[in-house]
Amino acid sequence: MMNYVLMDETHIPAVAEMEKLCFSDPWSVNSITSELNNPLSLWLVAMDEDKLVGYVGSQSVLGWSDMMNLAVAPAYRCRGVGASLVLELIRRLQENQVTSLTLEVRASNVPAIQLYDKLGFAEVGRRPGYYHNPKEDALILRKEWTV
């Protein structure tokens, strides 16, 4: 059974390894650790028993939140883990009076764009050359709600 819990220090090594597995420009252990110490941040992990299989993180200011990262282990993709992480993040953000979630996604990342579309995100802009390794534009997506 999948559980979605707040990320803590014990999750950092597994999150750092998943960063390397999933992204061409992964976050460092120090960057991940600093998010746990940031009062504006909310990070969740998906646990399959004692195995970390995904995570999502955000930073919120004045009722608006920005998704920092979302990753799911390759063996757990297309099984609803990513969608469940985002929905749980939104649920917790709503509890904190946040009314929107914005994110950037690689313009070529069709599976992620389809997931976000299914979850009700809309494209609101583009950041040319935002990503490196390889250099690529980011689509800016946003979902808004009332609390």
Side-chain angles (χ1 to χ4, degrees), residues 21 34 37 41 47 59 82 89 91-92 94 99 107 110 113 115 119 124 138 140-142:
L21 181 65
S34 71
N37 298 321
S41 294
M47 301 296 296
Q59 288 185 0
L89 177 66
R91 186 187 71 74
R92 291 180 187 226
Q94 288 173 324
T99 59
V110 174
I113 294 166
L115 168 68
L119 294 175
V124 295
I140 305 168
L141 307 180
R142 179 176 297 132

Short mmCIF file of all heavy atoms in Angstrom, two decimals, residues 21 34 37 41 47 59 82 89 91-92 94 99 107 110 113 115 119 124 138 140-142:
data_model
loop_
_atom_site.label_atom_id
_atom_site.label_comp_id
_atom_site.label_asym_id
_atom_site.label_seq_id
_atom_site.Cartn_x
_atom_site.Cartn_y
_atom_site.Cartn_z
N LEU A 21 18.83 9.72 -10.93
CA LEU A 21 18.20 8.76 -11.83
C LEU A 21 17.23 9.44 -12.80
O LEU A 21 17.14 9.06 -13.96
CB LEU A 21 17.46 7.70 -11.00
CG LEU A 21 16.74 6.59 -11.73
CD1 LEU A 21 17.73 5.71 -12.47
CD2 LEU A 21 15.93 5.77 -10.75
N SER A 34 18.40 21.82 2.35
CA SER A 34 18.00 23.20 2.61
C SER A 34 16.49 23.37 2.46
O SER A 34 15.89 24.20 3.15
CB SER A 34 18.76 24.18 1.72
OG SER A 34 18.32 24.08 0.39
N ASN A 37 14.71 22.68 5.63
CA ASN A 37 14.90 23.71 6.64
C ASN A 37 14.22 25.02 6.26
O ASN A 37 14.29 25.99 7.01
CB ASN A 37 16.39 23.95 6.87
CG ASN A 37 17.06 22.70 7.40
OD1 ASN A 37 16.49 21.99 8.22
ND2 ASN A 37 18.26 22.43 6.93
N SER A 41 8.70 25.78 2.46
CA SER A 41 8.68 24.55 1.67
C SER A 41 7.78 23.48 2.26
O SER A 41 7.62 23.38 3.47
CB SER A 41 10.10 23.97 1.55
OG SER A 41 10.91 24.84 0.80
N MET A 47 5.79 6.39 -0.31
CA MET A 47 6.46 5.22 0.24
C MET A 47 5.66 3.96 -0.09
O MET A 47 4.45 3.90 0.18
CB MET A 47 6.60 5.34 1.76
CG MET A 47 7.37 6.55 2.24
SD MET A 47 9.12 6.59 1.75
CE MET A 47 9.73 5.14 2.62
N GLN A 59 7.27 25.42 -2.77
CA GLN A 59 7.50 26.57 -1.91
C GLN A 59 6.30 27.49 -2.06
O GLN A 59 5.85 27.73 -3.19
CB GLN A 59 8.77 27.33 -2.29
CG GLN A 59 10.04 26.60 -1.93
CD GLN A 59 11.27 27.45 -2.21
OE1 GLN A 59 11.19 28.57 -2.68
NE2 GLN A 59 12.42 26.88 -1.91
N GLY A 82 2.60 9.62 -9.47
CA GLY A 82 2.82 11.05 -9.72
C GLY A 82 1.56 11.86 -9.49
O GLY A 82 1.58 12.89 -8.82
N LEU A 89 -0.26 16.91 -2.49
CA LEU A 89 0.36 18.21 -2.29
C LEU A 89 -0.70 19.31 -2.33
O LEU A 89 -0.74 20.17 -1.45
CB LEU A 89 1.43 18.46 -3.37
CG LEU A 89 2.11 19.83 -3.33
CD1 LEU A 89 2.93 20.00 -2.05
CD2 LEU A 89 2.97 20.02 -4.56
N ARG A 91 -3.90 19.06 -1.74
CA ARG A 91 -4.74 18.95 -0.55
C ARG A 91 -4.09 19.63 0.65
O ARG A 91 -4.72 20.40 1.38
CB ARG A 91 -5.02 17.47 -0.23
CG ARG A 91 -6.02 17.27 0.90
CD ARG A 91 -6.16 15.82 1.31
NE ARG A 91 -4.99 15.32 2.01
CZ ARG A 91 -4.65 15.62 3.26
NH1 ARG A 91 -5.39 16.44 3.98
NH2 ARG A 91 -3.57 15.10 3.81
N ARG A 92 -2.80 19.38 0.83
CA ARG A 92 -2.09 19.97 1.97
C ARG A 92 -1.89 21.48 1.79
O ARG A 92 -1.94 22.23 2.77
CB ARG A 92 -0.77 19.25 2.21
CG ARG A 92 -0.99 17.83 2.72
CD ARG A 92 0.32 17.12 2.94
NE ARG A 92 0.11 15.71 3.26
CZ ARG A 92 0.73 15.09 4.25
NH1 ARG A 92 1.56 15.74 5.03
NH2 ARG A 92 0.52 13.81 4.45
N GLN A 94 -3.98 23.43 0.23
CA GLN A 94 -5.29 24.01 0.53
C GLN A 94 -5.48 24.19 2.03
O GLN A 94 -6.04 25.20 2.48
CB GLN A 94 -6.41 23.13 -0.03
CG GLN A 94 -6.51 23.18 -1.53
CD GLN A 94 -7.51 22.17 -2.08
OE1 GLN A 94 -7.64 21.06 -1.56
NE2 GLN A 94 -8.18 22.55 -3.14
N THR A 99 -3.89 28.96 -2.81
CA THR A 99 -4.96 28.91 -3.81
C THR A 99 -4.47 28.63 -5.23
O THR A 99 -5.28 28.63 -6.16
CB THR A 99 -5.76 30.22 -3.82
OG1 THR A 99 -4.86 31.30 -4.13
CG2 THR A 99 -6.45 30.44 -2.49
N ALA A 107 9.40 21.40 -22.33
CA ALA A 107 8.44 21.43 -23.43
C ALA A 107 8.33 20.08 -24.14
O ALA A 107 7.29 19.76 -24.71
CB ALA A 107 8.82 22.53 -24.42
N VAL A 110 6.30 15.10 -22.82
CA VAL A 110 4.89 14.86 -23.13
C VAL A 110 4.17 14.08 -22.02
O VAL A 110 3.05 14.46 -21.64
CB VAL A 110 4.75 14.17 -24.50
CG1 VAL A 110 3.31 13.77 -24.78
CG2 VAL A 110 5.27 15.08 -25.61
N ILE A 113 3.40 16.56 -19.25
CA ILE A 113 2.42 17.55 -19.69
C ILE A 113 1.02 16.93 -19.71
O ILE A 113 0.05 17.56 -19.28
CB ILE A 113 2.82 18.12 -21.06
CG1 ILE A 113 4.12 18.94 -20.92
CG2 ILE A 113 1.69 18.98 -21.64
CD1 ILE A 113 4.78 19.28 -22.24
N LEU A 115 -0.02 14.44 -17.84
CA LEU A 115 -0.43 14.26 -16.44
C LEU A 115 -0.97 15.58 -15.89
O LEU A 115 -2.07 15.62 -15.30
CB LEU A 115 0.75 13.78 -15.59
CG LEU A 115 0.54 13.83 -14.08
CD1 LEU A 115 -0.51 12.82 -13.64
CD2 LEU A 115 1.86 13.61 -13.35
N LEU A 119 -4.77 16.72 -14.58
CA LEU A 119 -5.01 17.22 -13.23
C LEU A 119 -5.55 18.65 -13.22
O LEU A 119 -5.74 19.24 -12.15
CB LEU A 119 -3.72 17.13 -12.41
CG LEU A 119 -3.22 15.71 -12.13
CD1 LEU A 119 -1.87 15.75 -11.42
CD2 LEU A 119 -4.23 14.93 -11.31
N VAL A 124 0.32 28.79 -18.96
CA VAL A 124 0.19 30.24 -18.79
C VAL A 124 1.40 31.00 -19.31
O VAL A 124 1.43 32.23 -19.26
CB VAL A 124 -0.07 30.62 -17.31
CG1 VAL A 124 -1.42 30.07 -16.84
CG2 VAL A 124 1.05 30.15 -16.40
N ALA A 138 10.94 25.83 -21.08
CA ALA A 138 10.00 25.31 -20.08
C ALA A 138 8.63 25.88 -20.36
O ALA A 138 8.49 27.07 -20.68
CB ALA A 138 10.44 25.71 -18.68
N ILE A 140 5.21 26.95 -18.59
CA ILE A 140 4.74 27.32 -17.26
C ILE A 140 3.27 26.93 -17.17
O ILE A 140 2.46 27.35 -17.98
CB ILE A 140 4.89 28.83 -17.01
CG1 ILE A 140 6.33 29.28 -17.24
CG2 ILE A 140 4.43 29.19 -15.59
CD1 ILE A 140 6.49 30.80 -17.30
N LEU A 141 2.97 26.07 -16.21
CA LEU A 141 1.61 25.58 -16.02
C LEU A 141 1.10 26.02 -14.65
O LEU A 141 1.88 26.11 -13.70
CB LEU A 141 1.58 24.05 -16.12
CG LEU A 141 2.19 23.42 -17.36
CD1 LEU A 141 2.08 21.90 -17.28
CD2 LEU A 141 1.55 23.94 -18.63
N ARG A 142 -0.21 26.26 -14.56
CA ARG A 142 -0.79 26.68 -13.28
C ARG A 142 -2.16 26.04 -13.09
O ARG A 142 -2.92 25.88 -14.03
CB ARG A 142 -0.94 28.19 -13.24
CG ARG A 142 -1.56 28.69 -11.92
CD ARG A 142 -1.63 30.19 -11.80
NE ARG A 142 -0.29 30.74 -11.81
CZ ARG A 142 0.10 31.78 -12.56
NH1 ARG A 142 -0.74 32.38 -13.36
NH2 ARG A 142 1.33 32.21 -12.49
#
